[in-house]
Amino acid sequence: MSEILPAPNLPQPNGYGPITARQLYERTFALLREDFKLFFGIVLVVIGVEIVVGVVLGLGGVWTRHTGAAGPIAKVLFLLPIVLVGGVLIYLFTQIIQGALFFATRSKLTGPPLSVGEACQMAAARLGRIVGISALVALRMFGYMILFYLAMTIMLAIAVASLGGPTHFAAQLQQYAASPAPAGVYLLAVLFGLVFLLGYLAFLLWLVARYALSVPACLAEDLTVTNAIRRSIRLSARSRGRIYAVLAGAFCLWIAVTLLTVPVQLLMGAAMGAHAHHVSHGAAFLGLLLAAFRMVVSGILIAFMGVATTLCYYDLRARKEGFGAVSSWNDDGAGSLIAPDASPLLNPDVTL
């Protein structure tokens, strides 16, 4: 059955798409700027949970140090339940936030407007399916990564065999260990490492893009876990350019923030370790400031990914199915949007 939708609040005939990668970025940042309180307020929910868990862990560590009666094993046994419960809470709230960002983005496109609580409540009502998608996607990615490492191992075995076999290769390694190796050997090792790293990153990017639309598809079309994953694969097939652009942008920002903050934190950790009894309040404050900065940036990245993947989902539906196309015009120039039934793409007998 066709789904009648209101026109999105965007200045073009079909506001759902198609859009270019540049337009995707522009619309994502425009939505974030337009209602920053809504999107960052949603992200603050999981950040708040992370802060609470961190404070509880910190207080637990302080308590075990000051009691003096607890040894290393007792300390681990005391903190382990807190770590497990805190990890589960953070994971569940992260899944809720993922769904809430989709509903918040959809509300900005079509209305009616949602509050932070309403978006989170709508996502929490579908938490089981979101968690199921997350778990099944993680299991699939784990299997694919095993295949990738197996392929790399086979390639390495072929390379070793071409150099004379394991025995000859081991003898060469011992010879290089006893005397400086030629520059060509180091160059070859570096090239192999770069090929492995680039192949790993490209394969991981392909995997993430393959399943990136699973949650939007599930929530928008009320699909089961397996059908939502299949829907993501079919929608993104041969059309992952915008998803790659989103993931590449988020990855580059994360790398930049990591390169900026981690060296400072490592230097501070080394200084605090060398002068454990003379740690200044300024150093402690700087450490907290860096941690807060990374947490805020991570929150912005989560909001960016939630909005951008939702726009990618609707863009691909507009491209491949004519989703949101104006089917008729009234005398006053207003039109209605028809969302075609996507059931032909959800054949459970298709093996993917």
Side-chain angles (χ1 to χ4, degrees):
M1 178 182 295
S2 296
E3 176 188 1
I4 307 299
L5 296 178
N9 303 319
L10 293 169
Q12 71 176 61
N14 185 359
Y16 294 103
I19 54 178
T20 64
R22 178 180 177 180
Q23 289 172 327
L24 174 64
Y25 272 95
E26 290 174 349
R27 289 189 181 183
T28 300
F29 288 121
L31 288 175
L32 291 174
R33 287 194 305 268
E34 180 181 340
D35 206 337
F36 183 78
K37 290 183 179 180
L38 171 63
F39 293 107
F40 198 68
I42 292 173
V43 175
L44 277 179
V45 174
V46 72
I47 291 179
V49 175
E50 291 177 355
I51 292 174
V52 171
V53 172
V55 169
V56 172
L57 279 174
L59 292 176
V62 171
W63 183 82
T64 55
R65 285 197 299 269
H66 284 282
T67 54
I73 297 178
K75 182 178 180 180
V76 170
L77 292 176
F78 175 78
L79 294 178
L80 184 60
I82 302 177
V83 172
L84 292 177
V85 173
V88 171
L89 286 176
I90 293 174
Y91 172 77
L92 293 178
F93 273 93
T94 301
Q95 306 311 309
I96 292 175
I97 292 314
Q98 189 177 3
L101 288 171
F102 167 80
F103 287 119
T105 305
R106 188 177 69 173
S107 74
K108 298 300 295 182
L109 294 177
T110 64
L114 293 177
S115 65
V116 173
E118 290 170 339
C120 292
Q121 186 177 5
M122 293 173 68
R126 298 159 178 82
L127 179 59
R129 275 183 285 182
I130 300 176
V131 170
I133 290 172
S134 174
L136 187 54
V137 166
L139 184 62
R140 287 190 174 207
M141 292 183 65
F142 178 73
Y144 275 114
M145 294 310 298
I146 289 178
L147 293 177
F148 175 81
Y149 286 120
L150 180 61
M152 289 290 114
T153 302
I154 292 175
M155 290 177 59
L156 181 60
I158 293 174
V160 170
S162 66
L163 293 175
T167 303
H168 181 69
F169 185 70
Q172 286 183 326
L173 288 180
Q174 291 179 354
Q175 179 182 355
Y176 292 149
S179 60
V185 175
Y186 294 114
L187 180 60
L188 184 62
V190 170
L191 288 177
F192 181 81
L194 286 176
V195 169
F196 175 83
L197 179 61
L198 292 176
Y200 174 82
L201 292 177
F203 187 69
L204 184 62
L205 184 64
W206 175 81
L207 276 180
V208 175
R210 179 180 171 91
Y211 302 118
L213 306 181
S214 299
V215 170
C218 173
L219 300 180
E221 304 174 42
D222 196 25
L223 302 178
T224 62
V225 170
T226 54
N227 278 343
I229 292 175
R230 291 175 178 176
R231 179 72 161 143
S232 176
I233 296 171
R234 295 294 295 270
L235 272 178
S236 62
R238 297 182 297 276
S239 302
R240 298 192 176 106
R242 288 150 200 79
I243 304 177
Y244 289 147
V246 170
L247 295 175
F251 179 75
C252 290
L253 179 58
W254 180 78
I255 288 293
V257 173
T258 301
L259 293 177
L260 180 65
T261 58
V262 169
V264 178
Q265 289 179 318
L266 291 176
L267 290 175
M268 288 181 55
M272 293 171 66
H275 308 283
H277 300 289
H278 304 282
V279 179
S280 66
H281 294 290
F285 177 75
L286 181 58
L288 290 175
L289 192 62
L290 286 174
F293 173 73
R294 293 188 65 182
M295 190 172 294
V296 170
V297 173
S298 298
I300 294 175
L301 280 177
I302 292 173
F304 170 79
M305 288 297 299
V307 175
T309 52
T310 301
L311 294 179
C312 283
Y313 164 77
Y314 281 119
D315 167 66
L316 287 176
R317 288 197 67 182
R319 288 174 179 274
K320 296 188 174 184
E321 304 171 354
F323 184 89
V326 177
S327 62
S328 61
W329 293 96
N330 301 328
D331 293 337
D332 58 358
S336 61
L337 300 181
I338 295 182
D341 187 0
S343 57
L345 294 177
L346 300 178
N347 184 0
D349 297 327
V350 177
T351 302
L352 299 173

